[in-house]
Amino acid sequence: MTDRYTIFGNPVAHSMSPVLHPYFAKVLGEDLEYGRTLVEPGAFAATAAAFFASGGCGANVTVPCKVDACNFCQELTPYAKEAGAVNTMKALGDGQVLGDNTDGRGFIEDLHRLGAPLQGARVLVMGAGGAARGILGLLAREGVSHLALTNRSAERAVELARTVSGVEVVPDGKASGHYDLIVNATSSSLLGILPNLSDQVLGDCAFAYDLMYSKDGNTTFTRHAEDLGVGQVADGYGMLILQAVLGFELWRGKRPDTADALRHFRPDAG
Ligand code: NDP
């Protein structure tokens, strides 16, 4: 029987995972099927249990199911534990399921790929939702000299900053001074608006990264940063590819070629 994988979420129609993983499988000569599983509200545990009981080998998890997936898995990697969220599940046999979180590592590997400033850098992260939670701890371990966090809802920033030592919480709209790297981990670009950050601060940074991605690599945030003269900008497409690369490696023990995947899916980004 062909090994079966799926993505759990609601909605799932937009997800790139059912396109990325079959491509990796084809290139690496792995035989697998990859589907989409729409999870009705409140039905994550039952839906996931049915999938794995029927022989499913692994799954990706997207909004709004990542925390439910974390609660569902019997075993968690340190990355999933730290993030409190699971984006990749793997059947271990005996009914046990391992939960991992590859979002944060995908983000960090993308920053390395792009040559973004990290060692000794001053870094500002905007946002305190699921994505920010997945990247903050990993960023703190990249040798940055200063890590600041800001969010529209101050209490969420304070709560998240408590989980990672040495993070400065900056009130919304009050970031000042120089940052080498500014990361937009809010969903503002999804709405076509900008997070609350002065043009002076954004325009002064060396690298602006938006976790949101788009077909052509431009987002509201990266476009604005470019208009302000920021030297290097990137959207989250590389992060998307890399979190999938890491998930595929967990499932199949073979690592897809990131540069090849970037060239294949977005020729201008490789
Ligand atoms: P969440 O819904 O968990 O969090 C949303 C965050 O955005 C919160 O900090 C929220 O602030 C903030 N926000 C929402 N609307 C606004 C606004 N109008 N102005 C300012 N801040 C706002 O979303 P996620 O953390 O899951 O996702 C955040 C972004 O990251 C999305 O764009 C998503 O597409 C992207 N992403 C990309 C991935 C990739 O692989 N490239 C992977 C995962 C996410 P508040 O707390 O005040 O509500």
PDB file of all heavy atoms in Angstrom, residues 6 11 37 48 53 65 72 100 126 130 140 145 151 153 157 169 177 204 209-211 221 223:
ATOM      1  N   THR A   6      -1.099  13.742   4.719  1.00  0.00           N
ATOM      2  CA  THR A   6      -2.161  14.721   4.482  1.00  0.00           C
ATOM      3  C   THR A   6      -1.811  16.031   5.167  1.00  0.00           C
ATOM      4  O   THR A   6      -0.833  16.115   5.926  1.00  0.00           O
ATOM      5  CB  THR A   6      -3.521  14.209   4.993  1.00  0.00           C
ATOM      6  OG1 THR A   6      -4.578  15.025   4.450  1.00  0.00           O
ATOM      7  CG2 THR A   6      -3.609  14.260   6.524  1.00  0.00           C
ATOM      8  N   PRO A  11      -9.073  26.773   6.633  1.00  0.00           N
ATOM      9  CA  PRO A  11      -9.201  26.038   5.372  1.00  0.00           C
ATOM     10  C   PRO A  11      -7.912  25.290   5.006  1.00  0.00           C
ATOM     11  O   PRO A  11      -6.851  25.580   5.567  1.00  0.00           O
ATOM     12  CB  PRO A  11      -9.453  27.168   4.367  1.00  0.00           C
ATOM     13  CG  PRO A  11      -8.707  28.330   4.940  1.00  0.00           C
ATOM     14  CD  PRO A  11      -8.813  28.196   6.434  1.00  0.00           C
ATOM     15  N   THR A  37      -7.040  17.333   4.306  1.00  0.00           N
ATOM     16  CA  THR A  37      -8.105  16.936   5.225  1.00  0.00           C
ATOM     17  C   THR A  37      -8.649  18.174   5.927  1.00  0.00           C
ATOM     18  O   THR A  37      -7.951  18.783   6.751  1.00  0.00           O
ATOM     19  CB  THR A  37      -7.591  15.923   6.278  1.00  0.00           C
ATOM     20  OG1 THR A  37      -6.988  14.826   5.593  1.00  0.00           O
ATOM     21  CG2 THR A  37      -8.742  15.426   7.136  1.00  0.00           C
ATOM     22  N   ALA A  48      -7.727  13.352  13.293  1.00  0.00           N
ATOM     23  CA  ALA A  48      -6.343  12.860  13.244  1.00  0.00           C
ATOM     24  C   ALA A  48      -6.284  11.391  13.659  1.00  0.00           C
ATOM     25  O   ALA A  48      -5.589  10.580  13.041  1.00  0.00           O
ATOM     26  CB  ALA A  48      -5.459  13.710  14.148  1.00  0.00           C
ATOM     27  N   ALA A  53      -5.253   5.815  12.454  1.00  0.00           N
ATOM     28  CA  ALA A  53      -5.762   4.442  12.651  1.00  0.00           C
ATOM     29  C   ALA A  53      -5.921   3.729  11.312  1.00  0.00           C
ATOM     30  O   ALA A  53      -5.792   2.503  11.233  1.00  0.00           O
ATOM     31  CB  ALA A  53      -7.095   4.493  13.391  1.00  0.00           C
ATOM     32  N   CYS A  65      -5.160  24.480  13.696  1.00  0.00           N
ATOM     33  CA  CYS A  65      -5.058  23.187  14.403  1.00  0.00           C
ATOM     34  C   CYS A  65      -3.714  22.914  15.060  1.00  0.00           C
ATOM     35  O   CYS A  65      -3.507  21.833  15.626  1.00  0.00           O
ATOM     36  CB  CYS A  65      -5.370  22.053  13.420  1.00  0.00           C
ATOM     37  SG  CYS A  65      -6.994  22.186  12.656  1.00  0.00           S
ATOM     38  N   PHE A  72      -2.458  16.502  20.853  1.00  0.00           N
ATOM     39  CA  PHE A  72      -2.805  15.157  20.366  1.00  0.00           C
ATOM     40  C   PHE A  72      -1.604  14.202  20.398  1.00  0.00           C
ATOM     41  O   PHE A  72      -1.747  13.019  20.703  1.00  0.00           O
ATOM     42  CB  PHE A  72      -3.330  15.279  18.932  1.00  0.00           C
ATOM     43  CG  PHE A  72      -3.626  13.962  18.269  1.00  0.00           C
ATOM     44  CD1 PHE A  72      -4.866  13.352  18.436  1.00  0.00           C
ATOM     45  CD2 PHE A  72      -2.671  13.329  17.483  1.00  0.00           C
ATOM     46  CE1 PHE A  72      -5.143  12.132  17.835  1.00  0.00           C
ATOM     47  CE2 PHE A  72      -2.937  12.110  16.874  1.00  0.00           C
ATOM     48  CZ  PHE A  72      -4.179  11.511  17.054  1.00  0.00           C
ATOM     49  N   ASP A 100       6.308  17.491  15.605  1.00  0.00           N
ATOM     50  CA  ASP A 100       7.478  18.357  15.450  1.00  0.00           C
ATOM     51  C   ASP A 100       6.993  19.735  15.026  1.00  0.00           C
ATOM     52  O   ASP A 100       5.842  19.909  14.592  1.00  0.00           O
ATOM     53  CB  ASP A 100       8.417  17.762  14.375  1.00  0.00           C
ATOM     54  CG  ASP A 100       9.793  18.434  14.354  1.00  0.00           C
ATOM     55  OD1 ASP A 100      10.101  19.237  15.271  1.00  0.00           O
ATOM     56  OD2 ASP A 100      10.553  18.163  13.412  1.00  0.00           O
ATOM     57  N   MET A 126       8.100  41.736  15.108  1.00  0.00           N
ATOM     58  CA  MET A 126       6.762  42.299  15.296  1.00  0.00           C
ATOM     59  C   MET A 126       5.744  41.175  15.219  1.00  0.00           C
ATOM     60  O   MET A 126       5.730  40.419  14.240  1.00  0.00           O
ATOM     61  CB  MET A 126       6.474  43.333  14.209  1.00  0.00           C
ATOM     62  CG  MET A 126       7.241  44.614  14.427  1.00  0.00           C
ATOM     63  SD  MET A 126       6.909  45.763  13.085  1.00  0.00           S
ATOM     64  CE  MET A 126       7.726  44.928  11.784  1.00  0.00           C
ATOM     65  N   GLY A 130       1.075  32.743  16.614  1.00  0.00           N
ATOM     66  CA  GLY A 130       1.686  31.421  16.499  1.00  0.00           C
ATOM     67  C   GLY A 130       3.033  31.454  15.804  1.00  0.00           C
ATOM     68  O   GLY A 130       3.981  30.778  16.229  1.00  0.00           O
ATOM     69  N   ALA A 140      16.767  33.883  19.378  1.00  0.00           N
ATOM     70  CA  ALA A 140      17.566  34.247  20.562  1.00  0.00           C
ATOM     71  C   ALA A 140      18.839  33.413  20.640  1.00  0.00           C
ATOM     72  O   ALA A 140      19.822  33.838  21.240  1.00  0.00           O
ATOM     73  CB  ALA A 140      16.735  34.061  21.829  1.00  0.00           C
ATOM     74  N   SER A 145      22.717  40.254  19.355  1.00  0.00           N
ATOM     75  CA  SER A 145      23.141  41.037  20.528  1.00  0.00           C
ATOM     76  C   SER A 145      21.940  41.606  21.264  1.00  0.00           C
ATOM     77  O   SER A 145      22.001  41.866  22.470  1.00  0.00           O
ATOM     78  CB  SER A 145      24.073  42.166  20.099  1.00  0.00           C
ATOM     79  OG  SER A 145      23.371  43.099  19.319  1.00  0.00           O
ATOM     80  N   ASN A 151       4.101  44.109  19.659  1.00  0.00           N
ATOM     81  CA  ASN A 151       2.851  43.546  19.154  1.00  0.00           C
ATOM     82  C   ASN A 151       1.713  44.522  19.418  1.00  0.00           C
ATOM     83  O   ASN A 151       1.753  45.284  20.381  1.00  0.00           O
ATOM     84  CB  ASN A 151       2.557  42.211  19.852  1.00  0.00           C
ATOM     85  CG  ASN A 151       1.375  41.487  19.219  1.00  0.00           C
ATOM     86  OD1 ASN A 151       1.352  41.317  17.996  1.00  0.00           O
ATOM     87  ND2 ASN A 151       0.408  41.062  20.013  1.00  0.00           N
ATOM     88  N   SER A 153      -1.288  43.958  20.497  1.00  0.00           N
ATOM     89  CA  SER A 153      -1.809  43.711  21.846  1.00  0.00           C
ATOM     90  C   SER A 153      -0.622  43.496  22.784  1.00  0.00           C
ATOM     91  O   SER A 153       0.027  42.441  22.735  1.00  0.00           O
ATOM     92  CB  SER A 153      -2.697  42.471  21.890  1.00  0.00           C
ATOM     93  OG  SER A 153      -3.607  42.496  20.818  1.00  0.00           O
ATOM     94  N   ALA A 157       2.526  40.230  23.777  1.00  0.00           N
ATOM     95  CA  ALA A 157       3.985  40.374  23.644  1.00  0.00           C
ATOM     96  C   ALA A 157       4.663  40.083  24.976  1.00  0.00           C
ATOM     97  O   ALA A 157       5.677  39.384  25.035  1.00  0.00           O
ATOM     98  CB  ALA A 157       4.331  41.780  23.154  1.00  0.00           C
ATOM     99  N   VAL A 169      10.492  43.952  25.557  1.00  0.00           N
ATOM    100  CA  VAL A 169       9.168  44.223  24.984  1.00  0.00           C
ATOM    101  C   VAL A 169       9.053  45.723  24.714  1.00  0.00           C
ATOM    102  O   VAL A 169       9.282  46.544  25.598  1.00  0.00           O
ATOM    103  CB  VAL A 169       8.034  43.765  25.932  1.00  0.00           C
ATOM    104  CG1 VAL A 169       6.673  44.154  25.351  1.00  0.00           C
ATOM    105  CG2 VAL A 169       8.112  42.262  26.148  1.00  0.00           C
ATOM    106  N   GLY A 177      15.436  53.698  17.269  1.00  0.00           N
ATOM    107  CA  GLY A 177      16.846  53.317  17.158  1.00  0.00           C
ATOM    108  C   GLY A 177      17.089  52.398  15.978  1.00  0.00           C
ATOM    109  O   GLY A 177      16.217  52.187  15.134  1.00  0.00           O
ATOM    110  N   ASP A 204      15.807  52.408   8.257  1.00  0.00           N
ATOM    111  CA  ASP A 204      17.193  52.388   8.748  1.00  0.00           C
ATOM    112  C   ASP A 204      17.751  50.959   8.883  1.00  0.00           C
ATOM    113  O   ASP A 204      18.950  50.774   9.107  1.00  0.00           O
ATOM    114  CB  ASP A 204      17.228  53.091  10.121  1.00  0.00           C
ATOM    115  CG  ASP A 204      18.649  53.240  10.645  1.00  0.00           C
ATOM    116  OD1 ASP A 204      19.516  53.676   9.861  1.00  0.00           O
ATOM    117  OD2 ASP A 204      18.891  52.883  11.812  1.00  0.00           O
ATOM    118  N   TYR A 209      12.287  41.273   6.769  1.00  0.00           N
ATOM    119  CA  TYR A 209      11.765  39.949   6.391  1.00  0.00           C
ATOM    120  C   TYR A 209      10.295  39.881   6.788  1.00  0.00           C
ATOM    121  O   TYR A 209       9.935  40.157   7.930  1.00  0.00           O
ATOM    122  CB  TYR A 209      12.563  38.868   7.123  1.00  0.00           C
ATOM    123  CG  TYR A 209      12.307  37.451   6.653  1.00  0.00           C
ATOM    124  CD1 TYR A 209      13.254  36.767   5.901  1.00  0.00           C
ATOM    125  CD2 TYR A 209      11.132  36.772   6.977  1.00  0.00           C
ATOM    126  CE1 TYR A 209      13.038  35.456   5.476  1.00  0.00           C
ATOM    127  CE2 TYR A 209      10.907  35.465   6.555  1.00  0.00           C
ATOM    128  CZ  TYR A 209      11.872  34.819   5.807  1.00  0.00           C
ATOM    129  OH  TYR A 209      11.654  33.522   5.387  1.00  0.00           O
ATOM    130  N   ASP A 210       9.448  39.519   5.848  1.00  0.00           N
ATOM    131  CA  ASP A 210       8.021  39.346   6.128  1.00  0.00           C
ATOM    132  C   ASP A 210       7.700  37.857   6.083  1.00  0.00           C
ATOM    133  O   ASP A 210       7.985  37.200   5.074  1.00  0.00           O
ATOM    134  CB  ASP A 210       7.184  40.090   5.074  1.00  0.00           C
ATOM    135  CG  ASP A 210       5.732  40.269   5.508  1.00  0.00           C
ATOM    136  OD1 ASP A 210       5.313  39.652   6.512  1.00  0.00           O
ATOM    137  OD2 ASP A 210       5.018  41.035   4.831  1.00  0.00           O
ATOM    138  N   LEU A 211       7.140  37.309   7.160  1.00  0.00           N
ATOM    139  CA  LEU A 211       6.819  35.882   7.158  1.00  0.00           C
ATOM    140  C   LEU A 211       5.756  35.542   6.123  1.00  0.00           C
ATOM    141  O   LEU A 211       5.711  34.430   5.598  1.00  0.00           O
ATOM    142  CB  LEU A 211       6.334  35.433   8.552  1.00  0.00           C
ATOM    143  CG  LEU A 211       7.384  34.746   9.419  1.00  0.00           C
ATOM    144  CD1 LEU A 211       8.583  35.644   9.632  1.00  0.00           C
ATOM    145  CD2 LEU A 211       6.801  34.318  10.745  1.00  0.00           C
ATOM    146  N   PHE A 221       4.538  44.786   3.214  1.00  0.00           N
ATOM    147  CA  PHE A 221       5.648  45.173   4.090  1.00  0.00           C
ATOM    148  C   PHE A 221       6.968  45.258   3.326  1.00  0.00           C
ATOM    149  O   PHE A 221       7.710  46.239   3.459  1.00  0.00           O
ATOM    150  CB  PHE A 221       5.742  44.149   5.232  1.00  0.00           C
ATOM    151  CG  PHE A 221       6.825  44.428   6.230  1.00  0.00           C
ATOM    152  CD1 PHE A 221       6.721  45.473   7.127  1.00  0.00           C
ATOM    153  CD2 PHE A 221       7.956  43.618   6.286  1.00  0.00           C
ATOM    154  CE1 PHE A 221       7.720  45.723   8.059  1.00  0.00           C
ATOM    155  CE2 PHE A 221       8.956  43.861   7.214  1.00  0.00           C
ATOM    156  CZ  PHE A 221       8.834  44.920   8.100  1.00  0.00           C
ATOM    157  N   ARG A 223       7.460  45.649   0.148  1.00  0.00           N
ATOM    158  CA  ARG A 223       7.407  46.736  -0.840  1.00  0.00           C
ATOM    159  C   ARG A 223       7.667  48.084  -0.163  1.00  0.00           C
ATOM    160  O   ARG A 223       8.436  48.903  -0.668  1.00  0.00           O
ATOM    161  CB  ARG A 223       6.023  46.749  -1.510  1.00  0.00           C
ATOM    162  CG  ARG A 223       6.133  46.756  -3.018  1.00  0.00           C
ATOM    163  CD  ARG A 223       4.795  46.855  -3.698  1.00  0.00           C
ATOM    164  NE  ARG A 223       4.444  45.608  -4.325  1.00  0.00           N
ATOM    165  CZ  ARG A 223       3.404  44.851  -4.015  1.00  0.00           C
ATOM    166  NH1 ARG A 223       2.574  45.228  -3.060  1.00  0.00           N
ATOM    167  NH2 ARG A 223       3.170  43.739  -4.655  1.00  0.00           N
TER     168      ARG A 223
END
